Amino acid sequence: MFIMAQSHVVACEDTCGHIHGIDLSHYQGNVFWEAVGQCKVSYVYLKASEGGDHIDDKYLQNINLAHSYGLMVGSYHFYRPKVNQQTQLENFMAQCRSDDQDLIPMVDVETRSGLSVEAFRDSLFTFLHLMEKAYRQKPLIYTGANFYDHNLLGQLDDYKVMIAQYTKKEPILKDNLDFLLWQYTAKGTLDGINGYVDKSRFMRDHKLREIRFRHK
């Protein structure tokens, strides 16, 4: 998802005790989900939509096949700050049906789209509140460490957060936010997936149950 300085170092997943997962979209093409299901992958986030009218053309295929091989699946939306928030919500909800979700929805936040920090925050939180009302739970927020420090510092204490930083060392945010997940590489490899895939893991004592979708 996040575009930043790339590292070819892929941390520890084959030997450590961390809870690892992946996120992917149509960029990975056709995925051999049977092979993925046999790897050390505890969760998968799939791109469902972007902005007000874009949908990921591999989403439906991916979520159905991932479920069929027993994977825990969630969905994410790439947020466009200048696009009407209700329109974006409706685009996401048309793809991301509650009954299909194992994990809470995720919002991919990577750009201010030229807005001021204040206007960007107003736009984003309007969308987050709409999503919380629609799904009856707060979404997970995905963003990069530098983007967070410059645009969202001190604003996400009430949210679960995934931080992207492609370095050997764990991220440390300027406000010491206790984020749940670290996306540590966009250069990961996995049986069943052609090319690279984003990989992440839970931090410290955080567990998968913290992002489970609560079905009413």
Side-chain angles (χ1 to χ4, degrees):
M1 284 186 287
F2 204 80
I3 300 172
M4 59 198 314
Q6 303 291 308
S7 169
H8 290 274
V9 176
V10 178
C12 69
E13 73 243 30
D14 294 323
T15 58
C16 72
H18 298 125
I19 303 167
H20 290 265
I22 60 173
D23 63 76
L24 50 79
S25 68
H26 66 280
Y27 289 115
Q28 279 75 35
N30 291 318
V31 175
F32 186 44
W33 284 103
E34 182 177 7
V36 176
Q38 295 173 0
C39 296
K40 190 179 179 182
V41 172
S42 297
Y43 59 91
V44 177
Y45 267 99
L46 301 172
K47 185 175 183 179
S49 55
E50 178 175 335
D53 57 8
H54 177 78
I55 62 172
D56 192 287
D57 60 14
K58 294 293 185 182
Y59 174 73
L60 185 60
Q61 172 181 307
N62 280 336
I63 196 167
N64 288 337
L65 289 173
H67 274 141
S68 71
Y69 289 105
L71 291 158
M72 299 287 292
V73 185
S75 306
Y76 76 87
H77 174 78
F78 188 101
Y79 184 65
R80 293 291 182 185
K82 287 186 175 180
V83 178
N84 178 270
Q85 294 91 350
Q86 183 64 37
T87 301
Q88 294 197 66
L89 177 67
E90 291 171 2
N91 186 29
F92 182 64
M93 291 185 71
Q95 319 309 318
C96 178
R97 299 174 299 181
S98 294
D99 289 347
D100 295 337
Q101 308 305 307
D102 303 304
L103 310 175
I104 58 176
M106 182 164 68
V107 182
D108 183 351
V109 184
E110 303 189 25
T111 178
R112 295 201 327 243
S113 297
L115 296 178
S116 68
V117 172
E118 182 178 2
F120 158 71
R121 289 176 178 175
D122 288 345
S123 170
L124 175 62
F125 282 101
T126 296
F127 180 71
L128 296 181
H129 293 153
L130 287 172
M131 183 171 281
E132 180 180 354
K133 183 177 180 180
Y135 288 98
R136 300 182 181 180
Q137 52 209 305
K138 290 180 182 292
L140 174 68
I141 312 300
Y142 167 94
T143 193
N146 289 334
F147 190 88
Y148 176 85
D149 282 343
H150 285 94
N151 301 288
L152 290 165
L153 199 67
Q155 301 296 307
L156 298 182
D157 290 347
D158 293 334
Y159 289 88
K160 298 175 174 68
V161 178
M162 180 191 290
I163 290 293
Q165 180 174 289
Y166 307 147
T167 58
K168 294 180 181 180
K169 293 184 178 180
E170 296 178 358
I172 299 176
L173 303 175
K174 288 183 178 179
D175 60 359
N176 292 312
L177 179 75
D178 181 25
F179 54 95
L180 266 68
L181 296 131
W182 171 27
Q183 186 186 91
Y184 56 84
T185 185
K187 296 279 190 179
T189 58
L190 202 67
D191 289 345
I193 298 177
N194 291 321
Y196 294 127
V197 64
D198 298 335
K199 289 186 174 183
S200 58
R201 68 167 175 84
F202 277 86
M203 298 294 292
R204 295 173 288 279
D205 295 327
H206 291 297
K207 304 295 184 184
L208 189 61
R209 63 174 178 271
E210 296 178 63
I211 59 170
R212 290 291 298 267
F213 193 100
R214 299 191 310 275
H215 293 275
K216 304 296 183 181

